[in-house]
Amino acid sequence: MSRPSQAKLTTPNQPGVSVIQSQVAAAAPSATAASLQQVPQLIPAHPAAGGGKAAPPSKMKKQQADKDSEEYRQRRERNNLAVKKSRMRSKQKAMDTQQRVNELKEENERLEAKIKLLSKELSVLKDLFLEHAHNLADNVQPPAAAAGASPGPNTTSANGQ
Amino acid sequence: MSRPSQAKLTTPNQPGVSVIQSQVAAAAPSATAASLQQVPQLIPAHPAAGGGKAAPPSKMKKQQADKDSEEYRQRRERNNLAVKKSRMRSKQKAMDTQQRVNELKEENERLEAKIKLLSKELSVLKDLFLEHAHNLADNVQPPAAAAGASPGPNTTSANGQ
DNA sequence: TTGAATTGCGCAATAG
DNA sequence: CCTATTGCGCAATTCA
């Protein structure tokens, strides 16, 4: 349900420093000129309780300073880089996995085909074998009651797994 | 899939990347995902407010107004929701794919085992056949005292695929 | 303690 | 106009 809306305070940010995208050229025909800035967004629900207001009276000098800090920017940049790297890997991995699926599927089919083939071969041999056995039995057998010899169609399937 | 715009510099040229957003730091350490919406949020963001917000540098009221807009917030919220949903699906899909890999691997093993078995069976049968054939061709005599000469090229495996 | 890697999240552009 | 995707940056965490 509702989501406590978030607040965003105006961040007193007027950084004059950073920003700036250097070249957008390349392939940007239409101007998306819009700045792509995200600007502040939610506000931390302050732990401060008290029931007063939440105005940002002070305390942000430090923060501001932090953000302007060269140190900070550097860290951010490094992290952004790491993030990109990580995400790239993640995507790559996903793709690899997908491909693995395809490969395995293919191999599976090959294996199944092979099984089919082997099964057939086996069945043929078995038939031959049985046939032979019958012949032998018939032949070797002395004249006796061999009347109803029916070379029954012997099925060769006795596979179980 | 074309996104002409976007200025991203990968090159760590100068820290000019831009954008300075500050996202708040959620004060809640543990709560993950779901629960962060009930955090105490004091946020104004009133739509109707006509007033001024405490903006230090005064200048972008218009823009700020846009962001304060109920409409805007609503859209953002919807989008955030959609984003979450999309990402969830993405992750789920990745997991499914991974699992598929495992299943396929298993099945593969089963199939290979089966192939091995069938091959063995086949080989045995073939051997039997050959033996028999030799006996037949070799002797017309009773299979008892075989003079002891097995001239046959005894192949025990003739695999062909 | 430190820095890279991950992860959750929101924004904005854009694809559908 | 709305939702779904996607690239991105921030910050909190987790790993080494």
Side-chain angles (χ1 to χ4, degrees):
Chain A
M1 309 168 232
S2 54
R3 199 192 141 266
S5 43
Q6 296 190 255
K8 24 181 114 180
L9 288 199
T10 337
T11 306
N13 265 343
Q14 183 121 38
V17 194
S18 36
V19 176
I20 319 350
Q21 29 177 288
S22 335
Q23 44 184 149
V24 182
S30 48
T32 313
S35 40
L36 28 92
Q37 135 186 298
Q38 283 182 68
V39 190
Q41 140 186 271
L42 15 138
I43 287 217
H46 298 164
K53 46 154 322 245
S58 48
K59 245 48 180 242
M60 63 157 106
K61 300 189 171 144
K62 269 266 160 103
Q63 284 190 4
Q64 182 71 52
D66 278 358
K67 313 242 183 223
D68 284 345
S69 157
E70 171 78 18
E71 228 301 273
Y72 171 75
R73 278 325 307 169
Q74 226 156 44
R75 272 185 357 233
R76 284 305 326 138
E77 203 167 322
R78 274 170 189 281
N79 179 247
N80 289 340
L81 210 65
V83 167
K84 265 196 202 167
K85 192 171 163 190
S86 180
R87 283 170 182 162
M88 218 168 66
R89 270 188 203 155
S90 184
K91 274 177 196 171
Q92 187 58 53
K93 211 188 70 182
M95 292 177 78
D96 288 354
T97 305
Q98 181 57 57
Q99 171 146 7
R100 187 99 173 78
V101 166
N102 296 335
E103 292 173 359
L104 286 172
K105 266 186 180 170
E106 256 182 61
E107 182 154 354
N108 254 19
E109 276 176 43
R110 279 203 351 251
L111 295 179
E112 300 234 34
K114 188 162 182 177
I115 285 178
K116 205 165 188 171
L117 189 76
L118 289 176
S119 293
K120 194 148 206 161
E121 255 183 89
L122 205 57
S123 127
V124 168
L125 276 178
K126 279 182 180 173
D127 278 357
L128 273 178
F129 191 70
L130 288 179
E131 201 179 312
H132 219 286
H134 288 156
N135 285 348
L136 281 182
D138 276 357
N139 275 336
V140 174
Q141 214 161 70
S150 56
N154 226 318
T155 3
T156 13
S157 62
N159 213 324
Q161 198 199 165
Chain B
M1 285 55 159
S2 55
R3 40 177 221 346
S5 45
Q6 170 151 359
K8 103 190 246 149
L9 17 148
T10 315
T11 311
N13 283 352
Q14 274 276 340
V17 184
S18 65
V19 200
I20 296 186
Q21 100 173 355
S22 58
Q23 200 155 191
V24 176
S30 37
T32 339
S35 48
L36 75 111
Q37 316 197 334
Q38 44 159 345
V39 177
Q41 242 154 86
L42 25 134
I43 296 159
H46 298 149
K53 235 187 145 251
S58 38
K59 191 82 188 223
M60 34 155 92
K61 299 220 160 175
K62 276 259 151 122
Q63 283 194 3
Q64 203 56 60
D66 274 0
K67 312 243 180 226
D68 281 345
S69 156
E70 171 78 17
E71 229 302 272
Y72 171 75
R73 274 328 306 169
Q74 231 158 43
R75 280 195 338 249
R76 282 305 326 138
E77 204 168 323
R78 278 171 196 274
N79 179 247
N80 289 341
L81 212 63
V83 167
K84 264 195 201 168
K85 196 171 162 187
S86 181
R87 284 171 181 162
M88 217 169 65
R89 273 188 201 153
S90 184
K91 273 177 196 171
Q92 186 60 50
K93 211 188 68 182
M95 291 177 78
D96 288 354
T97 305
Q98 181 58 58
Q99 173 148 3
R100 186 99 173 82
V101 166
N102 296 334
E103 292 172 359
L104 286 172
K105 266 187 183 170
E106 259 182 60
E107 182 154 354
N108 249 12
E109 278 177 41
R110 280 203 349 255
L111 295 179
E112 301 237 33
K114 189 163 181 177
I115 285 178
K116 205 164 189 172
L117 189 75
L118 289 176
S119 294
K120 195 147 208 159
E121 257 183 86
L122 206 54
S123 131
V124 168
L125 240 73
K126 280 183 179 173
D127 279 357
L128 270 180
F129 254 125
L130 287 180
E131 208 175 309
H132 229 287
H134 289 157
N135 285 346
L136 285 181
D138 219 29
N139 72 50
V140 193
Q141 294 164 35
S150 298
N154 230 326
T155 347
T156 334
S157 66
N159 207 322
Q161 190 195 272

